[in-house]
Amino acid sequence: MRYCSTRGGVHGWTFRDVLFSGYAPDGGMFMPEMIPSLAPATLRSWSSLSYQQLVCEVCSLFIPEQLIPKHDLEALISSSLSRFSVPDAVRMVRLKGSLSILELFHGETLAFKDLAMMCTARFLEYFLHKENTRAIILVGTSGDTGSSAISSVCGLNGLDVVVVFPSGRITTVQERQMTTHMEDNVHVFAADGSSDDIDVPLRKLFADLDLVKRYGLMSLNSVNWSRILVQLAHFLYAYLQLSDIKKTEGDCLPDLEVVVPTGGAGNITAGCIMKQMGIPLRLVAMVNSNDIVHRTVQSGDFSMAGSVQQTMAPAIDIQDPYNMERIFWLLSGKDGALIKDMMEQFQRTHRLSVPETLHRKYWISYTKQKKITCTPDTTVRLCSVLSSGSVTDEGIMEAMVRCWEENQYLVCPHTAVAVWYHYHCPVLPEQKRCCIATASPAKFQGVVEKAGLTLDLPEAVRVLETKEARCKDLGRRENWEAALREHIEAIGAARQCGEPFYASAN
């Protein structure tokens, strides 16, 4: 198994190579050169496996035994998922009206990113220990990625993590899950801008190959292939739990619709890969008012709006869904030259019209921006590769309230984006559907209260208010790239001398 860039300029990299990378040297994103297929017989044989076992089976398809032997891989994944609050790390909840919700938020930071992040951190630690070397993780976050990255690597030898979050655009819980870490290898910055603004200097830093090489600079955003890899198991687990595959024979497999709250498009990318591997999924990408993914699916308009709108679902307040590049690459037949031209145009102008042949062949939307209208015929006929919808803040609150009233089950505002779709496009009796729950409502107390609902905060959230906080500000007029570069170099100098960073900085 080797990896290549979506822009065609890099081929033949190993899993270890891409694990310790951010963007590819040509500016693209790493993908497997070959996507393996899963036979129906294999899927049936996996139908009784736990989530943890499925993660291991999926990862072993993309990580050769020469790099991580199977018994080591099993141990790393077992260790990664041992700190989750439910026995199998994830949980499927079946509610009224054929509403099934896959809870992915039972990790330490109460967000789905803990699952892939913990596994990725253990993979990193495995290689760093083996090679006796160090790395610096650089992460931009729209809310949950930063705290999950910190939680996964805080205190680990050989790793420093630098996280930049958009000041004033995330919840208090999200912020304090980052800023209350006092470990010497944790470095947090609050930037006066949006998460898309933060991505600009980060891309420039990753494009500096000398900086990357000198300090082992790497990403733990879903730019990192390992994050996508582990997330493949979410879709496989949902399919095997809900599709009744055990009742089928031969090559005929039942399908499953999976509704995914979508921001940077990492999760929906994992779904598209699983679909290409042979899982009959009908994928629905649901967004908030930052609707670039929806406009792309609906009309081929992959263009950023004038600014990022702040909504009740802040973790998906994104206008540059960078993982869409991976989906474009898959659907173009791995045409690196085409993707290079498309994405370089988008980076220059922030506007792109998806080529008509690509859009018409693969992208079908049966939704409207503010209201979904579905009939049984359109539900089946039009869902080819990816469907989409957009939900307002009013729709988010509507879904939260209805789900509570009908089930006494509270969802976070991001999960509500998917649940809103379920209520406005009812599933047919013979069909199966799963909504992805990406975060705990405990992280969004303000939205819960605005919806007229209440919740009991977990102890882990309540204690955040009592902890000391530490972060550095990046002002709007400041050169963020230069400030982050200086900090990374200072970390590297301190580690080279064997000194604690903050002691040397003072």
Side-chain angles (χ1 to χ4, degrees):
M1 177 60 70
R2 295 283 173 162
Y3 294 84
C4 63
S5 167
T6 51
R7 301 190 187 182
V10 179
H11 297 274
W13 284 35
T14 67
F15 174 77
R16 189 262 177 230
D17 296 332
V18 301
L19 175 68
F20 281 88
S21 301
Y23 292 93
D26 64 354
M29 304 177 79
F30 284 108
M31 286 287 281
E33 293 183 350
M34 181 272 296
I35 306 292
S37 297
L38 293 173
T42 300
L43 294 173
R44 292 188 183 96
S45 71
W46 287 356
S47 60
S48 60
L49 296 185
S50 67
Y51 173 79
Q52 179 177 311
Q53 290 170 321
L54 288 173
V55 172
C56 189
E57 293 295 343
V58 169
C59 287
S60 68
L61 297 173
F62 295 88
I63 306 174
E65 282 229 20
Q66 306 94 287
L67 289 179
I68 305 181
K70 187 72 175 284
H71 64 276
D72 286 345
L73 185 63
E74 291 172 348
L76 291 171
I77 291 170
S78 176
S79 172
S80 302
L81 302 180
S82 64
R83 290 154 54 185
F84 286 70
S85 61
V86 295
D88 201 19
V90 303
R91 180 167 62 191
M92 185 70 74
V93 178
R94 293 171 173 84
L95 304 174
K96 293 178 181 178
S98 301
L99 174 58
S100 295
I101 295 179
L102 178 57
E103 296 179 344
L104 301 178
F105 53 75
H106 294 289
E108 289 190 5
T109 74
L110 309 177
F112 81 97
K113 300 180 181 185
D114 292 336
L115 293 159
M117 202 77 76
M118 291 299 296
C119 293
T120 299
R122 293 298 169 266
F123 298 158
L124 290 169
E125 188 180 26
Y126 178 85
F127 286 110
L128 289 172
H129 177 74
K130 192 174 179 180
E131 299 166 7
N132 191 29
T133 187
R134 300 192 59 87
I136 297 176
I137 297 165
L138 177 60
V139 172
T141 182
S142 59
D144 291 328
T145 299
S147 57
S148 185
I150 290 169
S151 176
S152 67
V153 305
C154 64
L156 290 184
N157 291 325
L159 280 169
D160 282 90
V161 58
V162 179
V163 173
V164 190
F165 71 87
S167 181
R169 293 172 180 255
I170 61 176
T171 70
T172 301
V173 172
Q174 288 174 315
E175 179 174 332
R176 294 192 68 81
Q177 281 182 331
M178 292 182 274
T179 60
T180 56
H181 276 275
M182 296 293 118
E183 292 87 354
D184 182 63
N185 70 328
V186 175
H187 317 265
V188 181
F189 290 82
D192 183 12
S194 70
S195 60
D196 287 342
D197 295 332
I198 292 168
D199 283 341
V200 175
L202 265 56
R203 275 184 180 268
K204 292 179 180 178
L205 290 168
F206 282 118
D208 185 337
L209 298 185
D210 179 63
L211 187 77
V212 169
K213 185 175 181 179
R214 267 190 296 148
Y215 301 112
L217 193 65
M218 56 165 294
S219 172
L220 269 189
N221 288 84
S222 55
V223 169
N224 193 304
W225 161 251
S226 179
R227 289 271 311 278
I228 305 297
L229 170 58
V230 176
Q231 287 171 191
L232 300 179
H234 304 347
F235 294 86
L236 180 58
Y237 179 84
Y239 180 77
L240 296 177
Q241 285 283 307
L242 296 176
S243 67
D244 292 329
I245 187 175
K246 286 186 284 189
K247 298 179 181 179
T248 65
E249 296 180 354
D251 292 337
C252 183
L253 294 175
D255 63 8
L256 173 71
E257 185 173 66
V258 185
V259 189
V260 186
T262 300
N267 242 352
I268 203 71
T269 296
C272 288
I273 294 170
M274 286 306 300
K275 186 175 177 72
Q276 192 156 109
M277 291 174 69
I279 312 296
L281 299 173
R282 291 178 288 116
L283 299 168
V284 184
M286 292 300 295
V287 301
N288 56 24
S289 299
N290 297 286
D291 64 350
I292 182 172
V293 171
H294 175 54
R295 286 184 282 108
T296 303
V297 174
Q298 185 178 53
S299 64
D301 177 23
F302 189 61
S303 301
M304 293 174 64
S307 62
V308 176
Q309 296 186 46
Q310 291 184 255
T311 75
M312 291 181 173
I316 56 175
D317 285 350
I318 291 173
Q319 281 288 350
D320 183 4
Y322 45 84
N323 277 294
M324 290 297 290
E325 178 168 341
R326 285 179 160 128
I327 297 178
F328 292 148
W329 180 80
L330 281 173
L331 300 181
S332 71
K334 306 178 184 178
D335 188 339
L338 172 64
I339 302 307
K340 181 176 186 292
D341 289 344
M342 288 172 56
M343 300 315 299
E344 287 182 352
Q345 177 187 330
F346 177 73
Q347 286 173 334
R348 285 194 310 269
T349 67
H350 296 168
R351 304 189 66 80
L352 175 69
S353 180
V354 177
E356 187 175 358
T357 52
L358 183 61
H359 182 263
R360 289 181 64 184
K361 185 173 181 181
Y362 294 106
W363 300 87
I364 301 174
S365 173
Y366 56 86
T367 62
K368 295 183 178 179
Q369 185 168 344
K370 297 194 176 176
K371 182 179 174 66
I372 291 179
T373 55
C374 296
T375 66
D377 286 343
T378 58
T379 302
V380 176
R381 187 181 70 230
L382 294 179
C383 197
S384 174
V385 170
L386 185 61
S387 302
S388 70
S390 174
V391 185
T392 63
D393 279 352
E394 291 76 17
I396 288 172
M397 285 198 293
E398 170 202 316
M400 293 174 70
V401 170
R402 179 172 173 181
C403 190
W404 175 257
E405 289 178 344
E406 293 185 2
N407 303 282
Q408 283 69 60
Y409 183 85
L410 192 60
V411 296
C412 87
H414 305 83
T415 307
V417 171
V419 172
W420 184 91
Y421 169 89
H422 178 80
Y423 288 141
H424 285 259
C425 188
V427 66
L428 298 176
E430 68 275 14
Q431 294 178 328
K432 298 292 178 68
R433 173 185 291 160
C434 177
C435 293
I436 300 296
T438 55
S440 166
K443 299 188 78 168
F444 306 96
Q445 185 180 8
V447 179
V448 171
E449 292 174 349
K450 192 167 184 178
L453 304 172
T454 58
L455 79 164
D456 293 325
L457 291 176
E459 177 63 20
V461 172
R462 289 199 299 269
V463 300
L464 290 174
E465 286 299 324
T466 66
K467 292 184 175 182
E468 179 186 356
R470 178 180 70 192
C471 75
K472 294 189 175 185
D473 292 328
L474 292 174
R476 179 164 290 277
R477 300 188 179 213
E478 191 173 350
N479 185 326
W480 297 355
E481 179 190 352
L484 291 170
R485 181 186 299 273
E486 181 181 354
H487 196 84
I488 289 165
E489 290 173 344
I491 294 170
R495 300 309 180 214
Q496 191 172 17
C497 298
E499 300 175 354
F501 174 77
Y502 283 100
S504 66
N506 291 333

